Amino acid sequence: MKNITFGKLLEKLLHLSNQKKSSLAKALGYDVSYISKWITGKNLPTQKNISDVCKITSEFIVDSLNMSHMQELKNYFEIDKDVESNAVLAQYLERSLKESYMHTAEKSVPNLYKKTHSEDSYNSMTHINPRLRKQYLSKDASLFMNSSDKLDLIISADLYKLNDSDKMAIYDMKKDLMSINTSHDIRVRLLMEFDKLDSDELLNTIMIINMITTYPEINFEIFNCEVDSNVVISVIKDRIFHAAIYTKDRRCLFTNMSKDKDIVDEIYYSLEDILKNRAKPILEVKSILEIIRKRTYLQYIMGQDLRWLIGRMNELFMPYDLFEEVAESIFGDNKEILEELKKINMLLQNVIYKSKLKVLIYEKEIRKYISVGMLNFFNIPIKLTFEQRERHINYIKKVIKESDNVEIKLIDGDFIDAFKETQDYAIYLSKTLTMMSINPTENHNDYAILKNSEFKNICDKVFKILWNKEADILVSNKIEILERIEKTLTCTKIINENLKSE
């Protein structure tokens, strides 16, 4: 609430609780004229009394709420509807009032004693409901991006050990940062440990993969390092430091926040030292041109034990002539790239599509591709004609029918409901190399090459879990797969022919 003045916030709280200025004045022990001047912005409470004012006001507001007003207040502050503790709500309002006061005072009183902010508002232990912490972090990031075009964030957290609510709060931060402004210079570094999987191995791994493959505009790096599973630390350089302490059963005991420059600097540079000397990046991001030129893609398909998880239809299982056709249309006169693509095409046709291969494909992506025609050729989006799509799909059907070595299963639905709205990713696994395609944008057509053996082993295990999923999620019968593909192809063909005849 820092973007709203102290007076406006106070006025809003009185409105939401259906209380009068005189009632608040009585609770505070002030004349009602003081409250009026705070609301109009003519005056502010003194720095000496602001802590008491915020605490008493927040408790007064919360105690005044009936069920209807409480819901309105939660909606306004975007507080989780499950939060029912009056103490938690009062703490949240108290902090919001203090932040708003400091924001207002810094603008109206240039010589405000700077230590007031950090010592009074941020250097104290605060017992909070962990569901609210995401709002604190997102609000801080949003606020600082409004005053600066840079944000440098470091997070240390054992995501595998957190409860689902806090885990998803950290996962969502990348999306939240992206929503601020894509023109800002945003850097995020996440320190976590890949020692072992727990009971949430599928959710955890898909979450990490989504963090890697989404929003490439943000400089987002993940590092493998031993971290304390009972503590989450986040620090925005030159801005703010957060720490949360957890019990063994994943409940958050308390959080501590500070804006004191010395504390923020000390935490930031301590984490930087860990990043430089003890942590290792789990992946390396490479452009598609680099992947092709340095023959990383070729090296991958020449490996053993190939397994593919295809989220978006791509260059795989294309007939030889269509592959060359599309390559020419994208890479044009780049003879070096076209020459390398010819080698890849020949290897795919003559070896890979006849070798032992396991492939998972999202059925909804096949349907979308047949209907719309969008395909990621080496992670570069391109739209194909219906005739081109038909050739591609017929070749896939041919491979399914004729190859006993190539096993294809259709994914009918979503493995994890929490990620059903995200774009499905593509993962390429082998014994020696694992790659992921990052969601392409206008300026990014990159791949993530896994460098961390522990996370690679986790991805191998998760693919095995997905491959052996229940029958209601996967379609593995060849005849049924062919029937489903043919049905979509036929329907789209009829629609196209009708459109042409009109």
Side-chain angles (χ1 to χ4, degrees):
M1 289 292 123
K2 282 190 179 182
N3 291 329
I4 186 173
T5 65
F6 179 80
K8 291 296 183 184
L9 179 57
L10 193 59
E11 185 178 35
K12 187 68 179 179
L13 289 172
L14 288 171
H15 172 73
L16 289 170
S17 60
N18 196 31
Q19 289 298 313
K20 297 179 180 179
K21 290 181 286 186
S22 58
S23 300
L24 175 59
K26 185 177 179 180
L28 288 169
Y30 282 81
D31 188 275
V32 69
S33 62
Y34 280 85
I35 311 300
S36 297
K37 288 176 181 178
W38 295 348
I39 288 174
T40 59
K42 291 181 179 178
N43 274 330
L44 284 172
T46 64
Q47 295 173 38
K48 179 181 177 181
N49 296 327
I50 186 60
S51 288
D52 287 341
V53 169
C54 292
K55 182 176 177 60
I56 294 170
T57 299
S58 61
E59 291 173 351
F60 168 80
I61 295 296
V62 171
D63 290 342
S64 304
L65 297 171
N66 60 29
M67 293 298 293
S68 174
H69 294 144
M70 181 175 286
Q71 191 55 53
E72 284 185 47
L73 182 138
K74 287 181 180 179
N75 291 339
Y76 180 75
F77 284 94
E78 298 180 347
I79 295 174
D80 194 291
K81 64 182 180 180
D82 295 332
V83 175
E84 296 180 350
S85 167
N86 282 3
V88 170
L89 290 174
Q91 286 173 354
Y92 184 81
L93 296 184
E94 181 182 354
R95 182 170 186 261
S96 296
L97 283 165
K98 285 182 178 180
E99 289 179 344
S100 186
Y101 171 81
M102 294 310 301
H103 172 68
T104 307
E106 284 171 0
K107 284 189 172 182
S108 58
V109 187
N111 296 321
L112 178 70
Y113 183 48
K114 298 298 182 184
K115 286 274 184 174
T116 302
H117 193 186
S118 58
E119 292 178 356
D120 188 35
S121 186
Y122 284 90
N123 286 345
S124 59
M125 296 296 182
T126 308
H127 293 269
I128 66 166
N129 186 310
R131 291 173 184 267
L132 298 179
R133 188 166 49 263
K134 178 192 172 185
Q135 293 175 34
Y136 293 159
L137 294 174
S138 298
K139 182 172 63 175
D140 284 328
S142 178
L143 173 69
F144 298 141
M145 291 309 294
N146 287 332
S147 60
S148 171
D149 61 352
K150 289 186 178 182
L151 186 140
D152 186 347
L153 169 65
I154 302 177
I155 303 173
S156 173
D158 189 343
L159 293 192
Y160 288 167
K161 300 297 191 296
L162 291 180
N163 61 62
D164 287 352
S165 175
D166 291 324
K167 190 182 296 181
M168 294 304 293
I170 293 176
Y171 165 77
D172 284 335
M173 281 200 70
K174 197 174 181 184
K175 178 176 68 176
D176 293 339
L177 289 170
M178 190 63 197
S179 67
I180 295 170
N181 195 322
T182 57
S183 65
H184 285 91
D185 181 6
I186 301 174
R187 185 186 192 191
V188 181
R189 286 170 287 177
L190 172 63
L191 277 162
M192 63 174 294
E193 192 169 355
F194 293 94
D195 54 348
K196 60 183 179 180
L197 290 172
D198 60 10
S199 57
D200 296 326
E201 53 195 4
L202 189 57
L203 182 144
N204 287 328
T205 306
I206 291 179
M207 176 183 65
I208 298 297
I209 291 170
N210 271 292
M211 292 174 81
I212 292 169
T213 58
T214 56
Y215 306 109
E217 299 90 343
I218 293 177
N219 181 3
F220 185 87
E221 303 166 274
I222 302 178
F223 294 82
N224 184 29
C225 181
E226 185 177 349
V227 297
D228 192 331
S229 60
N230 296 321
V231 180
V232 173
I233 296 173
S234 65
V235 57
I236 300 176
K237 185 180 181 183
D238 300 328
R239 301 293 183 175
I240 192 170
F241 151 69
H242 289 257
I245 311 298
Y246 289 81
T247 61
K248 287 185 178 179
D249 62 353
R250 304 183 182 187
R251 288 185 299 111
C252 181
L253 282 176
F254 61 83
T255 65
N256 179 259
M257 289 150 275
S258 178
K259 276 192 173 183
D260 185 279
K261 186 179 186 306
D262 292 338
I263 293 175
V264 173
D265 285 351
E266 185 174 346
I267 298 297
Y268 178 86
Y269 289 110
S270 294
L271 291 176
E272 272 249 307
D273 184 66
I274 293 173
L275 283 163
K276 290 176 181 176
N277 298 303
R278 288 162 42 197
K280 295 181 180 179
I282 70 164
L283 58 90
E284 182 179 8
V285 175
K286 293 186 177 182
S287 70
I288 183 53
L289 293 180
E290 190 177 8
I291 290 283
I292 296 172
R293 281 197 184 103
K294 295 193 175 179
R295 300 188 175 177
T296 306
Y297 194 101
L298 196 62
Q299 176 192 343
Y300 166 75
I301 60 175
M302 289 176 67
Q304 295 180 330
D305 191 20
L306 297 185
R307 287 148 292 151
W308 301 338
L309 173 58
I310 300 177
R312 288 289 296 270
M313 295 302 292
N314 52 38
E315 69 281 349
L316 299 171
F317 296 119
M318 273 191 169
Y320 190 91
D321 57 342
L322 180 59
F323 186 102
E324 287 204 335
E325 219 173 275
V326 178
E328 287 278 355
S329 69
I330 292 177
F331 296 101
D333 298 328
N334 193 326
K335 293 182 179 180
E336 178 191 3
I337 295 297
L338 290 175
E339 194 59 38
E340 291 300 324
L341 288 176
K342 281 185 180 180
K343 295 173 186 175
I344 291 171
N345 194 9
M346 289 178 64
L347 190 60
L348 287 171
Q349 304 296 331
N350 297 313
V351 179
I352 305 307
Y353 300 152
K354 300 173 184 177
S355 303
K356 192 168 181 61
L357 179 64
K358 290 183 177 179
V359 185
L360 290 169
I361 308 177
Y362 280 92
E363 185 183 8
K364 62 184 178 183
E365 293 301 328
I366 291 184
R367 292 200 302 266
K368 189 188 299 182
Y369 170 57
I370 293 173
S371 301
V372 181
M374 291 305 301
L375 170 139
N376 288 352
F377 188 82
F378 288 89
N379 214 28
I380 298 175
I382 184 172
K383 185 168 184 176
L384 303 190
T385 66
F386 179 75
E387 183 272 333
Q388 289 174 317
R389 283 174 260 162
E390 191 173 24
R391 285 156 60 195
H392 189 182
I393 295 300
N394 284 334
Y395 190 79
I396 293 175
K397 289 164 56 183
K398 181 175 182 292
V399 172
I400 294 173
K401 288 177 184 177
E402 298 178 2
S403 178
D404 294 327
N405 289 320
V406 178
E407 296 180 78
I408 294 179
K409 293 185 180 183
L410 295 185
I411 304 169
D412 182 9
D414 296 283
F415 292 117
I416 302 290
D417 286 341
F419 305 112
K420 63 184 179 182
E421 300 301 324
T422 60
Q423 188 177 40
D424 296 316
Y425 40 80
I427 306 177
Y428 310 88
L429 301 105
S430 73
K431 273 192 175 180
T432 57
L433 185 65
T434 296
M435 305 190 304
M436 300 176 190
S437 60
I438 296 175
N439 288 355
T441 65
E442 185 178 352
N443 300 312
H444 299 271
N445 307 98
D446 304 324
Y447 284 80
I449 313 297
L450 291 195
K451 299 176 68 176
N452 179 263
S453 59
E454 290 173 325
F455 188 55
K456 183 188 180 306
N457 292 337
I458 290 171
C459 289
D460 288 338
K461 183 176 181 180
V462 166
F463 185 91
K464 187 176 181 180
I465 293 171
L466 298 180
W467 185 259
N468 295 306
K469 264 287 184 182
E470 299 85 356
D472 61 335
I473 295 292
L474 296 180
V475 180
S476 55
N477 182 276
K478 279 190 175 186
I479 295 174
E480 186 177 354
I481 291 172
L482 290 168
E483 285 177 350
R484 289 187 179 211
I485 293 175
E486 182 59 37
K487 181 179 178 181
T488 303
L489 188 63
T490 301
C491 289
T492 305
K493 191 172 185 176
I494 291 171
I495 291 170
N496 276 5
E497 288 174 352
N498 286 339
L499 289 173
K500 286 179 180 178
S501 62
E502 289 179 359

